[in-house]
Amino acid sequence: MAPYSLLVTRLQKALGVRQYHVASVLCQRAKVAMSHFEPNDYIRYDLLEKNIDIIRKRLNRPLTLSEKLVYGHLDDPANQEIERGKTYLRLRPDRVAMQDATAQMAMLQFISSGLPKVAVPSTIHCDHLIEAQVGGEKDLRRAKDINEEVYKFLASAGAKYGVGFWRPGSGIIHQIILENYAYPGALLIGTDSHTPNGGGLGAICIGVGGADAVDVMAGIPWELKCPKVIGVKLTGSLSGWSSPKDVILKVAGILTVKGGTGAIVEYHGPGVESISCTGMATICNMGAEIGATTSVFPYNHRMKTYLTKTGRKEIANLAEEFKGLLVPDPGCHYDQVIEINLNELKPLINGPFTPDLAHSVAEVGSVAEKEGWPVDIKVGLIGSCTNSSYEDMGRSAAVAKQALDHGLKCKSQFTITPGSEQIRATIERDGYAQILRDVGGVVLANACGPCIGQWDRKDIKKGDKNTIVTSYNRNFTGRNDANPETHAFVTSPEIVTALAIAGTLKFNPETDFLTGKDGKKFKLEPPNADELPKTNFDPGQDTYQHPPKDGSGQRVDVSPTSQRLQLLEPFDKWDGKDLEDLQILIKVKGKCTTDHISAAGPWLKFRGHLDNISNNLLIGAINIENGKANSVRNAVTQEFGPVPDTARYYKKHGIRWVVIGDENYGEGSSREHAALEPRHLGGRAIITKSFARIHETNLKKQGLLPLTFADPADYNKIHPVDKLTIQGLKDFAPGKPLTCIIKHPNGTQETILLNHTFNEGQIEWFRAGSALNRMKELQQ
């Protein structure tokens, strides 16, 4: 057998791998590091400029900012076929970022690849496994104790394979990226759906599954379907109670949760100048809720100020020099244009149960009464990766200070989540944190916490109907506290604070009065706060672990008896035959997000153990046969039981199965466990009316068939008791539909067509059993 180093070289040549840190030895006009944590990895605006020039000559038209930054990172700009919404692009991202819940599976897959070191700068961020209970310090200590095995694994894997490690307590991945790693013109991929947060700094930041991250860390060109571009033209300026959050709440109401699928949302126009850099990040962050590939803003003085304030003045100066690359060309074409006049934008609040159900704050109370939603607010929660900046905390503190001046505290419970250790330390120094405590708030750890279901909520019982308001991004059923009767509404941090003080959805701070402790009525003034601290940020505690220059001697141990971590076994290869007599595990009715497919909350502790976490497979999905969650008919025993148990029964008895889904199946989080679990338990295909982008790719990567009805009405032809045969796999080809034969129990049959979006390379993933299997084949 060839030596290992030779195998790696062959893999690099076969897959077009760039040599590690090539960028660090190439000349450019000014050598500026992408981050002070990686002083030898330089920003390549000269290469971006060269590639854009090639593309502009080829396409012979003005380019949007999105096109410049995406096409500027093409592996082969001279020959890559480019057609929005159709062709697949092969791209060279600048870096990879992973949060701890998804990093476990990503690093397990990277270990399985057999490669010695990551090929691009990469980081791991410990933010998902810290449960909110009583407050920051105690919750963090508890998390470090409970998750010690996982943190040790991630730290040691990072040290061995050259990945930077941000310890628990550092903060939320997206805030850390904005503060340290994102820069105008960068292409970054992250194993979290809210990676687009970095678009607030003019970067193309895209959420992916762990298998995609492994490709990039292995130095393989990363595939992305050429996105369409939706332009959002902003005019006027924000003022009063209106905030950047209201911009994306408005866009979500217009486009809905699937309106951005397959597109980059590009903001432009004079109104951009009235939005802070972190405000732009808020807008880009929540673009994930409309299914967008990512969102981005053009480079401007707000970004320059933020870069300078966060210790990256050299990057700001370099961006100024190359500013023409970092803004759209005049006269560029968008596939769709939305115009929003910020002068007319009023505070919005979206929900419950979906982030695109938009209401004005002025009207939500009356709508709630009409719909039977609880109007009394149990808890107000501010923070999260969407709204935890210095400015956000300052505006909330400005509202709280007014209430305190009149002797009032919050009527609702109130929690505050700083976005990073730097934000926590700075708001403590500048007094914001104390004001928020004085009004009744509890400052939680620098982590995701309740936003992702890491909330040990005690004030209600499961099943109690109640309302919460948050400055988070998602409000799907059970998302925050695992209670399906919690009506969660999403709004800006300052509106959350005002509503928590009033205690009711029927309060409109623009027009309504509060009664002070002295019995006098007063009205809250619109909040005003500094965009950035007047002095420098306080960095707080040092929570970063540099990887050693040579990690080859590091050990990464996974105990065979561990309940938290499990080394991966390769999935089986396709047997070369059509898929016959597939049993329907479940026909899903209505919305089915990745939270429904692979629940978070208490299940986060199993993110590194595929078999254990598979016990949550589709437990939140509604079965159309009986209208219940986690209750499906076993086709052999005819008994109803939990979905995972039924899937395991089928797997044990050699019965391959399929899931039937509705619209936008797999929306929400990037978690690839929603693809790994059905593959692990014997699933072969997911057939739906439509897919969310990230989930569709994740399914392909794991060797499953994500298929859509050629005629969406065919969804109604399939019943849970039917069996399906998928034909045409022997001649599987891009653009060629597959045939599905529906076999009804009475002996009759129907034939329908199923579409797919596989290209040639992705078909090889299916044939090999998974993208990782295919990588290993190429090593041999």
Side-chain angles (χ1 to χ4, degrees), residues 646-697:
T646 307
R648 288 187 185 276
Y649 180 96
Y650 289 161
K651 181 179 180 180
K652 180 180 179 181
H653 291 84
I655 301 170
R656 296 184 294 187
W657 50 264
V658 62
V659 169
I660 308 300
D662 210 318
E663 293 276 6
N664 207 33
Y665 184 90
E667 69 174 277
S669 171
S670 68
R671 70 192 65 154
E672 66 180 342
H673 299 77
L676 284 158
E677 293 174 34
R679 183 73 164 96
H680 175 63
L681 294 184
R684 303 306 302 179
I686 313 292
I687 305 172
T688 73
K689 294 179 182 177
S690 62
F691 285 99
R693 175 192 63 86
I694 299 176
H695 187 60
E696 182 180 28
T697 301

Side-chain angles (χ1 to χ4, degrees), residues 275-278 302 305-306 389-391 529-533 537:
I275 304 173
S276 66
C277 179
T278 52
R302 300 276 194 159
T305 302
Y306 184 81
S389 69
Y390 183 83
E391 181 183 34
D530 292 330
E531 175 182 341
L532 294 163
F537 279 105

Side-chain angles (χ1 to χ4, degrees), residues 24-44:
S24 66
V25 298
L26 294 178
C27 295
Q28 56 178 333
R29 274 178 261 182
K31 282 192 171 184
V32 175
M34 289 193 286
S35 165
H36 66 269
F37 293 108
E38 295 126 1
N40 297 318
D41 291 288
Y42 301 111
I43 295 174
R44 293 300 316 280

Side-chain angles (χ1 to χ4, degrees), residues 259-531:
T261 303
I264 293 178
V265 179
E266 183 175 313
Y267 293 85
H268 63 283
V272 168
E273 299 301 319
S274 74
I275 304 173
S276 66
C277 179
T278 52
M280 290 186 274
T282 290
I283 294 167
C284 292
N285 176 294
M286 201 174 156
E289 311 328 316
I290 58 173
T293 300
T294 191
S295 302
V296 68
F297 277 83
Y299 177 73
N300 67 1
H301 71 283
R302 300 276 194 159
M303 295 181 192
K304 181 180 181 180
T305 302
Y306 184 81
L307 285 167
T308 301
K309 205 70 170 179
T310 52
R312 294 174 287 172
K313 187 175 182 179
E314 287 186 337
I315 296 178
N317 291 339
L318 190 64
E320 285 289 320
E321 183 180 348
F322 287 90
K323 187 173 182 179
L325 306 179
L326 309 174
V327 296
D329 289 341
C332 64
H333 171 71
Y334 297 102
D335 295 284
Q336 177 183 353
V337 176
I338 297 169
E339 294 196 24
I340 298 176
N341 184 343
L342 301 181
N343 292 334
E344 299 173 356
L345 188 64
K346 291 292 186 179
L348 295 170
I349 182 167
N350 290 21
F353 306 127
T354 185
D356 58 353
L357 185 57
H359 318 277
S360 69
V361 171
E363 296 171 347
V364 69
S366 59
V367 173
E369 287 185 324
K370 180 181 177 182
E371 297 292 337
W373 305 330
V375 295
D376 290 338
I377 298 168
K378 287 288 186 182
V379 191
L381 306 99
I382 65 169
S384 85
C385 64
T386 315
N387 279 110
S388 55
S389 69
Y390 183 83
E391 181 183 34
D392 289 327
M393 296 296 163
R395 285 173 67 87
S396 293
V399 175
K401 181 68 165 55
Q402 294 180 63
L404 289 170
D405 289 344
H406 288 84
L408 296 186
K409 291 191 175 185
C410 291
K411 289 186 178 179
S412 309
Q413 293 184 40
F414 187 43
T415 69
I416 301 96
T417 305
S420 67
E421 169 61 10
Q422 179 168 271
I423 294 298
R424 182 208 63 78
T426 306
I427 66 171
E428 289 285 2
R429 180 197 69 191
D430 293 352
Y432 291 166
Q434 191 57 51
I435 291 171
L436 295 170
R437 288 192 192 96
D438 290 344
V439 85
V442 175
V443 179
L444 301 174
N446 315 320
C448 300
C451 183
I452 59 161
Q454 285 284 53
W455 184 16
D456 185 21
R457 190 176 180 188
K458 300 293 189 184
D459 63 303
I460 60 160
K461 296 178 181 178
K462 190 170 182 177
D464 288 353
K465 193 174 180 179
N466 74 104
T467 284
I468 64 173
V469 292
T470 82
S471 69
Y472 302 163
N473 39 51
R474 292 199 175 124
N475 56 350
F476 302 137
T477 302
R479 166 82 176 181
N480 304 121
D481 61 2
N483 178 14
E485 290 300 324
T486 293
H487 294 56
F489 293 84
V490 177
T491 186
S492 68
E494 51 265 47
I495 292 295
V496 171
T497 307
L499 293 179
I501 292 166
T504 175
L505 288 176
K506 296 178 71 175
F507 178 71
N508 176 11
E510 287 193 302
T511 58
D512 295 344
F513 288 81
L514 295 168
T515 302
K517 191 174 181 179
D518 59 3
K520 296 180 180 179
K521 292 187 179 296
F522 71 97
K523 195 168 76 169
L524 294 171
E525 295 297 322
N528 186 30
D530 292 330
E531 175 182 341

Side-chain angles (χ1 to χ4, degrees), residues 546-598:
H546 285 271
K549 289 184 178 180
D550 181 5
S552 58
Q554 297 283 330
R555 288 181 58 86
V556 181
D557 293 324
V558 176
S559 169
T561 60
S562 173
Q563 295 300 301
R564 298 287 301 271
L565 298 164
Q566 180 186 48
L567 292 175
L568 297 174
E569 295 291 333
F571 289 131
D572 60 299
K573 288 187 65 172
W574 176 56
D575 60 9
K577 301 176 182 178
D578 288 335
L579 298 173
E580 297 184 352
D581 293 330
L582 295 171
Q583 188 63 55
I584 296 170
L585 176 66
I586 182 173
K587 182 179 180 182
V588 177
K589 178 183 179 182
K591 186 184 284 285
C592 190
T593 71
T594 47
D595 281 295
H596 294 89
I597 304 167
S598 176

